[in-house]
mmCIF file of all heavy atoms in Angstrom:
data_model
loop_
_atom_site.group_PDB
_atom_site.id
_atom_site.type_symbol
_atom_site.label_atom_id
_atom_site.label_comp_id
_atom_site.label_asym_id
_atom_site.label_seq_id
_atom_site.Cartn_x
_atom_site.Cartn_y
_atom_site.Cartn_z
ATOM 1 N N LEU A 157 -12.432 23.425 1.637
ATOM 2 C CA LEU A 157 -11.411 23.748 2.629
ATOM 3 C C LEU A 157 -11.577 23.008 3.896
ATOM 4 O O LEU A 157 -10.646 22.591 4.581
ATOM 5 C CB LEU A 157 -11.301 25.314 2.850
ATOM 6 C CG LEU A 157 -10.876 26.163 1.632
ATOM 7 C CD1 LEU A 157 -11.125 27.569 1.926
ATOM 8 C CD2 LEU A 157 -9.415 25.894 1.358
ATOM 9 N N GLU A 158 -12.859 22.877 4.303
ATOM 10 C CA GLU A 158 -13.194 22.204 5.542
ATOM 11 C C GLU A 158 -12.737 20.753 5.426
ATOM 12 O O GLU A 158 -12.199 20.209 6.360
ATOM 13 C CB GLU A 158 -14.763 22.355 5.826
ATOM 14 C CG GLU A 158 -15.236 21.697 7.001
ATOM 15 C CD GLU A 158 -14.805 22.307 8.346
ATOM 16 O OE1 GLU A 158 -14.006 23.253 8.362
ATOM 17 O OE2 GLU A 158 -15.208 21.713 9.395
ATOM 18 N N THR A 159 -12.999 20.145 4.281
ATOM 19 C CA THR A 159 -12.592 18.809 4.125
ATOM 20 C C THR A 159 -11.076 18.647 4.225
ATOM 21 O O THR A 159 -10.532 17.727 4.894
ATOM 22 C CB THR A 159 -13.039 18.282 2.691
ATOM 23 O OG1 THR A 159 -14.463 18.519 2.577
ATOM 24 C CG2 THR A 159 -12.841 16.751 2.512
ATOM 25 N N ALA A 160 -10.394 19.592 3.671
ATOM 26 C CA ALA A 160 -8.924 19.550 3.635
ATOM 27 C C ALA A 160 -8.482 19.667 5.101
ATOM 28 O O ALA A 160 -7.563 18.984 5.509
ATOM 29 C CB ALA A 160 -8.351 20.744 2.802
ATOM 30 N N ARG A 161 -9.062 20.555 5.876
ATOM 31 C CA ARG A 161 -8.688 20.710 7.237
ATOM 32 C C ARG A 161 -8.876 19.421 8.012
ATOM 33 O O ARG A 161 -7.991 18.922 8.764
ATOM 34 C CB ARG A 161 -9.551 21.798 7.850
ATOM 35 C CG ARG A 161 -9.229 22.105 9.376
ATOM 36 C CD ARG A 161 -10.288 22.999 9.988
ATOM 37 N NE ARG A 161 -11.591 22.352 10.109
ATOM 38 C CZ ARG A 161 -11.866 21.408 11.097
ATOM 39 N NH1 ARG A 161 -10.959 21.097 11.919
ATOM 40 N NH2 ARG A 161 -13.111 20.884 11.119
ATOM 41 N N ILE A 162 -10.074 18.781 7.794
ATOM 42 C CA ILE A 162 -10.340 17.483 8.484
ATOM 43 C C ILE A 162 -9.273 16.439 8.093
ATOM 44 O O ILE A 162 -8.849 15.629 8.924
ATOM 45 C CB ILE A 162 -11.752 17.062 8.171
ATOM 46 C CG1 ILE A 162 -12.751 18.003 8.707
ATOM 47 C CG2 ILE A 162 -12.089 15.616 8.677
ATOM 48 C CD1 ILE A 162 -14.193 17.895 8.267
ATOM 49 N N MET A 163 -8.971 16.374 6.836
ATOM 50 C CA MET A 163 -8.051 15.358 6.411
ATOM 51 C C MET A 163 -6.630 15.628 7.037
ATOM 52 O O MET A 163 -5.917 14.668 7.315
ATOM 53 C CB MET A 163 -7.904 15.399 4.870
ATOM 54 C CG MET A 163 -9.160 14.704 4.240
ATOM 55 S SD MET A 163 -9.179 14.819 2.333
ATOM 56 C CE MET A 163 -7.856 13.659 1.955
ATOM 57 N N LYS A 164 -6.274 16.837 7.174
ATOM 58 C CA LYS A 164 -5.011 17.168 7.832
ATOM 59 C C LYS A 164 -5.015 16.693 9.319
ATOM 60 O O LYS A 164 -4.058 16.161 9.821
ATOM 61 C CB LYS A 164 -4.737 18.729 7.782
ATOM 62 C CG LYS A 164 -3.580 19.228 8.642
ATOM 63 C CD LYS A 164 -2.318 19.254 7.953
ATOM 64 C CE LYS A 164 -1.196 19.796 8.736
ATOM 65 N NZ LYS A 164 0.105 19.687 8.086
ATOM 66 N N LEU A 165 -6.143 16.844 9.924
ATOM 67 C CA LEU A 165 -6.357 16.371 11.364
ATOM 68 C C LEU A 165 -6.146 14.958 11.405
ATOM 69 O O LEU A 165 -5.473 14.367 12.312
ATOM 70 C CB LEU A 165 -7.725 16.820 11.850
ATOM 71 C CG LEU A 165 -8.062 16.535 13.269
ATOM 72 C CD1 LEU A 165 -7.269 17.507 14.177
ATOM 73 C CD2 LEU A 165 -9.605 16.674 13.608
ATOM 74 N N LYS A 166 -6.657 14.177 10.413
ATOM 75 C CA LYS A 166 -6.612 12.765 10.423
ATOM 76 C C LYS A 166 -5.310 12.179 10.003
ATOM 77 O O LYS A 166 -4.846 11.141 10.444
ATOM 78 C CB LYS A 166 -7.744 12.202 9.521
ATOM 79 C CG LYS A 166 -9.115 12.378 10.016
ATOM 80 C CD LYS A 166 -10.061 11.659 9.041
ATOM 81 C CE LYS A 166 -11.589 11.893 9.510
ATOM 82 N NZ LYS A 166 -12.491 11.482 8.417
ATOM 83 N N MET A 167 -4.658 12.910 9.036
ATOM 84 C CA MET A 167 -3.365 12.365 8.486
ATOM 85 C C MET A 167 -2.374 13.487 8.477
ATOM 86 O O MET A 167 -1.954 13.936 7.442
ATOM 87 C CB MET A 167 -3.578 11.929 7.060
ATOM 88 C CG MET A 167 -4.742 10.923 6.874
ATOM 89 S SD MET A 167 -4.997 10.483 5.101
ATOM 90 C CE MET A 167 -5.893 11.884 4.536
ATOM 91 N N PRO A 168 -1.877 13.892 9.725
ATOM 92 C CA PRO A 168 -1.095 15.179 9.714
ATOM 93 C C PRO A 168 0.155 15.134 8.846
ATOM 94 O O PRO A 168 0.567 16.114 8.322
ATOM 95 C CB PRO A 168 -0.773 15.342 11.180
ATOM 96 C CG PRO A 168 -1.250 14.164 11.860
ATOM 97 C CD PRO A 168 -2.155 13.385 10.967
ATOM 98 N N ASP A 169 0.778 13.975 8.797
ATOM 99 C CA ASP A 169 2.076 13.925 7.996
ATOM 100 C C ASP A 169 1.852 13.641 6.519
ATOM 101 O O ASP A 169 2.780 13.546 5.824
ATOM 102 C CB ASP A 169 2.966 12.861 8.584
ATOM 103 C CG ASP A 169 2.401 11.503 8.579
ATOM 104 O OD1 ASP A 169 1.117 11.404 8.461
ATOM 105 O OD2 ASP A 169 3.157 10.471 8.588
ATOM 106 N N GLN A 170 0.625 13.634 6.118
ATOM 107 C CA GLN A 170 0.409 13.339 4.653
ATOM 108 C C GLN A 170 -0.190 14.506 3.968
ATOM 109 O O GLN A 170 -0.512 14.380 2.716
ATOM 110 C CB GLN A 170 -0.567 12.158 4.535
ATOM 111 C CG GLN A 170 0.098 10.776 4.763
ATOM 112 C CD GLN A 170 -0.876 9.713 4.921
ATOM 113 O OE1 GLN A 170 -1.255 9.266 6.052
ATOM 114 N NE2 GLN A 170 -1.460 9.205 3.764
ATOM 115 N N ILE A 171 -0.357 15.668 4.583
ATOM 116 C CA ILE A 171 -1.074 16.758 3.915
ATOM 117 C C ILE A 171 -0.191 18.019 3.882
ATOM 118 O O ILE A 171 0.436 18.336 4.959
ATOM 119 C CB ILE A 171 -2.391 17.047 4.699
ATOM 120 C CG1 ILE A 171 -3.223 15.839 5.001
ATOM 121 C CG2 ILE A 171 -3.098 18.187 3.971
ATOM 122 C CD1 ILE A 171 -4.042 15.316 3.828
ATOM 123 N N LEU A 172 -0.292 18.644 2.748
ATOM 124 C CA LEU A 172 0.482 19.900 2.613
ATOM 125 C C LEU A 172 -0.422 20.900 2.011
ATOM 126 O O LEU A 172 -1.188 20.605 1.079
ATOM 127 C CB LEU A 172 1.771 19.690 1.772
ATOM 128 C CG LEU A 172 2.732 20.876 1.673
ATOM 129 C CD1 LEU A 172 4.101 20.413 2.132
ATOM 130 C CD2 LEU A 172 2.734 21.392 0.253
ATOM 131 N N PHE A 173 -0.382 22.170 2.438
ATOM 132 C CA PHE A 173 -1.226 23.247 1.884
ATOM 133 C C PHE A 173 -0.385 24.263 1.109
ATOM 134 O O PHE A 173 0.651 24.755 1.632
ATOM 135 C CB PHE A 173 -2.004 23.953 2.950
ATOM 136 C CG PHE A 173 -3.015 23.139 3.637
ATOM 137 C CD1 PHE A 173 -2.852 22.812 4.993
ATOM 138 C CD2 PHE A 173 -4.085 22.625 2.985
ATOM 139 C CE1 PHE A 173 -3.767 21.952 5.636
ATOM 140 C CE2 PHE A 173 -5.028 21.803 3.648
ATOM 141 C CZ PHE A 173 -4.821 21.445 4.913
ATOM 142 N N MET A 174 -0.814 24.611 -0.089
ATOM 143 C CA MET A 174 -0.134 25.658 -0.828
ATOM 144 C C MET A 174 -1.174 26.723 -1.131
ATOM 145 O O MET A 174 -2.350 26.462 -1.425
ATOM 146 C CB MET A 174 0.271 25.090 -2.228
ATOM 147 C CG MET A 174 1.721 24.563 -2.081
ATOM 148 S SD MET A 174 2.197 23.506 -3.451
ATOM 149 C CE MET A 174 2.391 24.717 -4.746
ATOM 150 N N LEU A 175 -0.741 28.023 -0.982
ATOM 151 C CA LEU A 175 -1.572 29.066 -1.443
ATOM 152 C C LEU A 175 -1.003 29.840 -2.578
ATOM 153 O O LEU A 175 0.203 30.175 -2.587
ATOM 154 C CB LEU A 175 -1.758 30.145 -0.227
ATOM 155 C CG LEU A 175 -2.531 31.357 -0.524
ATOM 156 C CD1 LEU A 175 -4.021 31.025 -0.678
ATOM 157 C CD2 LEU A 175 -2.357 32.435 0.510
ATOM 158 N N VAL A 176 -1.780 30.009 -3.595
ATOM 159 C CA VAL A 176 -1.271 30.718 -4.832
ATOM 160 C C VAL A 176 -1.884 32.112 -4.692
ATOM 161 O O VAL A 176 -3.159 32.247 -4.775
ATOM 162 C CB VAL A 176 -1.687 30.076 -6.143
ATOM 163 C CG1 VAL A 176 -1.090 30.799 -7.310
ATOM 164 C CG2 VAL A 176 -1.358 28.636 -6.170
ATOM 165 N N SER A 177 -1.090 33.138 -4.362
ATOM 166 C CA SER A 177 -1.655 34.411 -4.144
ATOM 167 C C SER A 177 -1.068 35.491 -5.003
ATOM 168 O O SER A 177 -0.035 35.280 -5.596
ATOM 169 C CB SER A 177 -1.392 34.756 -2.682
ATOM 170 O OG SER A 177 -2.157 35.851 -2.343
ATOM 171 N N TYR A 178 -1.824 36.560 -5.129
ATOM 172 C CA TYR A 178 -1.401 37.654 -6.049
ATOM 173 C C TYR A 178 -0.868 38.838 -5.303
ATOM 174 O O TYR A 178 -1.454 39.306 -4.285
ATOM 175 C CB TYR A 178 -2.617 38.081 -6.905
ATOM 176 C CG TYR A 178 -2.242 39.031 -7.978
ATOM 177 C CD1 TYR A 178 -1.393 38.637 -9.016
ATOM 178 C CD2 TYR A 178 -2.681 40.350 -7.991
ATOM 179 C CE1 TYR A 178 -0.986 39.508 -9.967
ATOM 180 C CE2 TYR A 178 -2.348 41.203 -8.978
ATOM 181 C CZ TYR A 178 -1.453 40.773 -9.905
ATOM 182 O OH TYR A 178 -1.113 41.642 -10.990
#
Side-chain angles (χ1 to χ4, degrees):
L157 290 170
E158 178 67 0
T159 309
R161 181 191 69 76
I162 294 168
M163 286 175 72
K164 169 88 176 175
L165 185 72
K166 292 183 182 169
M167 308 177 277
D169 60 337
Q170 281 169 262
I171 310 283
L172 188 125
F173 293 114
M174 271 166 72
L175 176 72
V176 184
S177 193
Y178 187 65

